[in-house]
């Protein structure tokens, strides 16, 4: 394929997937390697407004400095503006307890997003090609992935576009050779076979090509079929999600009964939970235990899932755990980032009437002994609900109020100095501390949400 044909193919690919708009500024990631050099040259030849960005991860000593200097000289020769940044990748990986590869990826894409915003670029272009997509498919297949993981690399995602996915690695090398355009080679790509991707690239793919020289092409063709199938599945899954789940604020409520009526309960569950950071292994465990007892809990890095009778409840993990707060006297007290409480005494007036507001409690001040404690309720806590005879467990009262298990775990109560529950916050005061005809002094407690 000639250079002219290669450029036309990339241009047609960009148009087909609407990756770039004519006249818009785009950033081209430039490492100095063959893929990134070809990408920059092709974007220039197609007439796009392009600036380059180079990241020096300071991992390969003189070789990294060589690559950066190559990029500087290439951009000078092309009249392309080059943005450069140096990262202490080793320190970042150590600080965040992640692999060097993950640290470099996180640093790179975070910087790309910030630079894109700063210079008002439409997109960041990276040099992934068909061979990269094949490797990604094989990696996901080995790791065990859902349908989406077998569809290859997306042409566009989160502002990152990949115009070279229509080319093979050999197409790119042929393009550069015809132009007599030099590029640099990262030596770790040639020898670091301990990395999964490089092992696939240097050991697995050559073996597959020995079995069938068209192996790469056939894998991509299968991925295309799977991508089309995934579109059909996604449409069906969106309908299934609406059937089996309900969103109530930050809580996702999945009906186990409705889930079990789906053609594939495990895949429906995977489709929902993947957006909450749960791994495929965790989803398999949850799907296998849909009859688990109430209170069974699973957590991802960002969310908590709890079995609550015939439901699965999912919520973000709170960054601030519930705590005990001592209130020694009247005033305003901050409980956490989202709420505070005000305590104020006053003399009862003849025209006083109790407002109908669940965020406030009006009590007989002479019956309440400071200090008051704000605390999550505990097993065994009892109170006398207003208007009811006798005492009840707080947990039973909340169950009767139809609170979910996660809502119950967030429930606060207030106790006075004697240890008596005076208010189940936002729900009911204790009958013993109610305002009666003989009440002279009032204690007003109000909850304020951020």
């Amino acid at each position: 394929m000639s250079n002219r044909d290669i450029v036309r193919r990339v241009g047609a690919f960009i148009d087909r997937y609407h990756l770039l708009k004519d006249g818009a500024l785009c950033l081209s990631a430039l490492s100095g390697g063959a893929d990134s050099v070809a990408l920059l040259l092709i974007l220039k030849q197609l007439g796009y407004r392009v600036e380059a960005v180079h990241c020096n991860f300071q991992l390969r000593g003189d070789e990294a400095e060589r690559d950066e200097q190559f990029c500087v000289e290439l951009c000078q020769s092309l009249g392309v503006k080059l943005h450069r940044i140096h990262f202490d990748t080793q320190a970042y990986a150590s600080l965040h307890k992640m692999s060097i590869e993950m640290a470099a990826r996180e640093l790179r894409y975070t910087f790309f997003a910030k630079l894109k915003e700063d210079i008002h670029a439409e997109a960041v272009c990276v040099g992934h090609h068909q061979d990269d997509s094949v490797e990604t498919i094989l990696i996901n297949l080995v790791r065990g992935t859902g349908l989406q993981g077998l569809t290859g690399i997306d042409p566009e995602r989160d502002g990152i576009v990949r115009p070279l996915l229509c080319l093979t690695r050999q197409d790119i090398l042929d393009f550069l050779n015809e132009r007599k355009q030099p590029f640099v080679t990262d030596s770790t790509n040639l020898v670091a076979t301990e990395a999964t991707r490089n092992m696939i690239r240097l050991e697995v793919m050559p073996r597959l090509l020995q079995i069938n020289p068209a192996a790469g092409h056939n894998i991509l063709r299968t991925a295309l079929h799977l991508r089309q199938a995934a579109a059909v599945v996604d449409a069906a899954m969106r309908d299934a999600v609406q059937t089996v789940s309900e969103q109530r604020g930050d809580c996702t409520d999945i009906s186990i009964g409705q889930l079990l009526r789906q053609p594939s309960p495990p895949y429906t569950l995977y489709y929902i939970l993947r957006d909450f950071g749960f791994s495929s292994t965790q989803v398999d465990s949850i799907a296998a235990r849909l009859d688990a007892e109430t209170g069974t809990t699973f957590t991802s890095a960002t969310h908590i899932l709890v079995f609550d009778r015939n439901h699965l409840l999912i919520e973000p993990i709170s960054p601030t755990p519930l705590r005990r707060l001592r209130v020694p006297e009247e005033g305003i007290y901050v409980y956490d980032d989202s709420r505070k409480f005000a305590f104020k005494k006053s003399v009862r007036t003849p025209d006083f009437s109790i407002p109908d507001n669940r965020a406030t409690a009006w009590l007989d001040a002479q019956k309440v002994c400071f200090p008051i404690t704000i605390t999550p309720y505990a097993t065994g806590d009892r109170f006398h609900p207003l208007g009811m005879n006798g005492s009840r467990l707080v947990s039973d009262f909340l169950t009767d109020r139809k609170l979910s298990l996660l809502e119950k775990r967030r429930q606060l109560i207030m106790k006075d100095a004697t240890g008596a529950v005076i208010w189940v916050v936002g729900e009911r005061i204790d009958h013993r501390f109610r305002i009666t005809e003989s009440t002279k002094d009032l204690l007003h407690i109000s909850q304020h949400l951020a």
Side-chain angles (χ1 to χ4, degrees):
M1 186 163 43
S2 69
N3 273 15
R4 181 178 299 178
D5 291 335
I6 286 175
V7 173
R8 284 177 179 170
R9 177 179 287 188
V10 174
F13 186 81
I14 291 172
D15 292 341
R16 176 184 177 185
Y17 290 98
H18 310 290
L19 301 182
L20 299 170
K21 296 177 182 177
D22 291 340
L25 176 64
C26 60
L27 272 169
S28 185
L30 181 65
S31 67
D35 310 333
S36 67
V37 171
L39 174 64
L40 179 60
L41 294 174
I42 291 172
L43 291 175
K44 282 279 291 179
Q45 193 164 334
L46 286 170
Y48 289 103
R49 293 173 54 216
V50 59
E51 295 180 8
V53 53
H54 177 79
C55 301
N56 186 334
F57 297 101
Q58 302 187 78
L59 294 171
R60 295 180 291 114
D62 292 342
E63 191 175 271
E65 300 304 318
R66 175 209 66 182
D67 294 354
E68 181 175 349
Q69 185 58 35
F70 173 87
C71 294
V72 170
E73 295 172 1
L74 175 63
C75 288
Q76 287 175 344
S77 68
L78 296 173
V80 171
K81 183 174 182 179
L82 175 64
H83 303 269
R84 291 184 283 168
I85 188 169
H86 290 197
F87 295 118
D88 189 343
T89 311
Q90 188 73 53
Y92 186 88
S94 177
L95 177 65
H96 295 276
K97 296 180 173 57
M98 60 176 62
S99 69
I100 291 294
E101 292 80 6
M102 287 300 299
R105 176 183 174 83
E106 188 168 298
L107 288 167
R108 175 169 63 248
Y109 284 110
T110 300
F111 177 66
F112 286 171
K114 181 65 167 62
L115 181 59
K116 172 176 171 284
E117 180 182 348
D118 288 346
I119 68 172
H120 307 292
E122 178 192 2
V124 178
C125 303
V126 296
H128 291 124
H129 48 74
Q130 288 184 359
D131 296 32
D132 294 320
S133 192
V134 171
E135 292 163 8
T136 297
I137 293 167
L138 293 175
I139 289 170
N140 289 338
L141 181 63
V142 170
R143 288 175 176 169
T145 185
L147 181 60
Q148 193 63 42
L150 301 178
T151 60
I153 299 175
D154 291 328
E156 185 278 330
R157 176 173 289 184
D158 300 328
I160 303 295
V161 301
R162 300 170 176 88
L164 302 189
L165 283 177
C166 57
L167 303 178
T168 66
R169 169 73 171 175
Q170 191 57 53
D171 292 333
I172 291 170
L173 294 175
D174 291 343
F175 173 82
L176 295 174
N177 288 336
E178 186 174 326
R179 291 178 63 115
K180 295 183 172 53
Q181 172 62 56
F183 55 89
V184 296
T185 301
D186 181 348
S187 62
T188 60
N189 285 338
L190 300 177
V191 299
T193 56
E194 72 278 7
T196 302
R197 182 172 294 274
N198 281 344
M199 186 175 292
I200 295 284
R201 179 180 303 163
L202 301 177
E203 297 183 16
V204 176
M205 278 307 301
R207 294 292 186 111
L208 290 177
L209 291 173
Q210 287 177 1
I211 297 172
N212 183 349
H217 172 76
N218 291 341
I219 290 171
L220 288 174
R221 186 173 62 181
T222 300
L224 177 60
H225 297 327
L226 291 174
R227 184 179 292 271
Q228 294 166 345
V232 176
V233 172
D234 283 345
M237 284 296 102
R238 286 192 291 270
D239 291 340
V241 168
Q242 292 184 345
T243 300
V244 308
S245 67
E246 179 184 358
Q247 197 68 33
R248 298 198 307 270
D250 289 337
C251 179
T252 300
D253 181 341
I254 301 173
S255 166
I256 295 177
Q258 291 288 352
L259 179 64
L260 290 173
R261 295 187 185 97
Q262 299 305 306
S264 175
Y267 190 79
T268 304
L269 191 61
Y270 170 80
Y271 190 89
I272 298 173
L273 297 186
R274 65 180 184 176
D275 292 333
F276 300 118
F278 290 94
S279 68
S280 57
T281 301
Q282 285 179 301
V283 175
D284 289 343
S285 296
I286 296 167
R289 300 177 60 188
L290 291 178
D291 58 349
E293 63 182 21
T294 292
T296 301
T297 301
F298 290 82
T299 58
S300 71
T302 57
H303 286 75
I304 180 172
L305 179 149
V306 175
F307 283 75
D308 187 9
R309 297 180 286 274
N310 195 38
H311 294 263
L312 301 175
L313 306 178
I314 310 155
E315 281 190 354
I317 295 174
S318 174
T320 54
L322 298 179
R323 64 190 182 100
R324 294 172 60 90
L325 177 64
R326 186 175 182 273
V327 178
E329 58 186 4
E330 297 176 75
I332 297 176
Y333 296 83
V334 176
Y335 182 79
D336 56 26
D337 292 340
S338 64
R339 53 191 160 177
K340 59 186 177 182
F341 294 93
F343 298 79
K344 184 178 181 180
K345 291 181 179 180
S346 61
V347 177
R348 184 179 184 179
T349 59
D351 60 346
F352 170 77
S353 62
I354 300 175
D356 184 13
N357 185 347
R358 291 177 59 188
T360 65
W362 289 88
L363 308 172
D364 188 322
Q366 293 180 338
K367 297 177 182 177
V368 178
C369 300
F370 279 86
I372 292 171
T373 302
I374 307 172
T375 180
Y377 84 92
T379 302
D381 280 333
R382 305 184 71 91
F383 82 126
H384 295 250
L386 179 67
M388 297 177 63
N389 294 323
S391 68
R392 295 214 64 196
L393 286 169
V394 173
S395 59
D396 289 345
F397 172 79
L398 296 176
T399 298
D400 291 344
R401 296 286 293 167
K402 308 298 184 185
L403 268 66
S404 72
L405 188 58
L406 285 176
E407 290 171 325
K408 290 170 70 173
R409 289 184 177 184
R410 292 195 301 272
Q411 181 64 50
L412 295 176
I413 61 174
M414 292 190 186
K415 296 182 178 181
D416 76 349
T418 69
V421 175
I422 61 174
W423 186 25
V424 177
V425 176
E427 294 294 335
R428 194 78 61 88
I429 66 167
D430 189 290
H431 189 79
R432 295 167 295 179
F433 299 87
R434 73 192 186 283
I435 295 171
T436 65
E437 291 182 359
S438 62
T439 298
K440 297 180 180 180
D441 297 321
L442 307 175
L443 173 61
H444 178 213
I445 308 174
S446 57
Q447 177 182 212
H448 302 273
L449 302 179

